Amino acid sequence: MQAGLPKDPVMLLSVINTKLRDYYATLELLCDEMEIAQEDLVATLETIDYHYDAEKNQFL
């Protein structure tokens, strides 16, 4: 995961959903621009039972 992002999955969820809402149209764009491995991000948030919903562009 990128430096500057929280390691705690709940805090990470909040940061990522805020960035998706305010700055990025898709998870792919967020990951590309922030240089985050999308698979790692998704796996981390799945540990707290959150999954990406492309239609809503957020983790639910």
Side-chain angles (χ1 to χ4, degrees):
M1 204 64 55
Q2 181 194 33
L5 287 175
K7 294 191 186 300
D8 177 81
V10 176
M11 295 299 294
L12 179 63
L13 171 68
S14 177
V15 169
I16 294 300
N17 272 343
T18 298
K19 288 184 177 293
L20 286 168
R21 181 191 68 217
D22 295 345
Y23 304 109
Y24 299 99
T26 67
L27 179 60
E28 185 177 297
L29 286 173
L30 178 145
C31 291
D32 285 347
E33 204 161 297
M34 294 187 72
E35 299 180 353
I36 301 170
Q38 184 171 334
E39 301 80 21
D40 293 344
L41 176 60
V42 168
T44 299
L45 294 178
E46 283 179 348
T47 67
I48 57 170
D49 204 27
Y50 277 80
H51 307 277
Y52 182 65
D53 182 324
E55 187 176 306
K56 294 185 178 183
N57 192 34
Q58 65 180 330
F59 282 87
L60 303 171

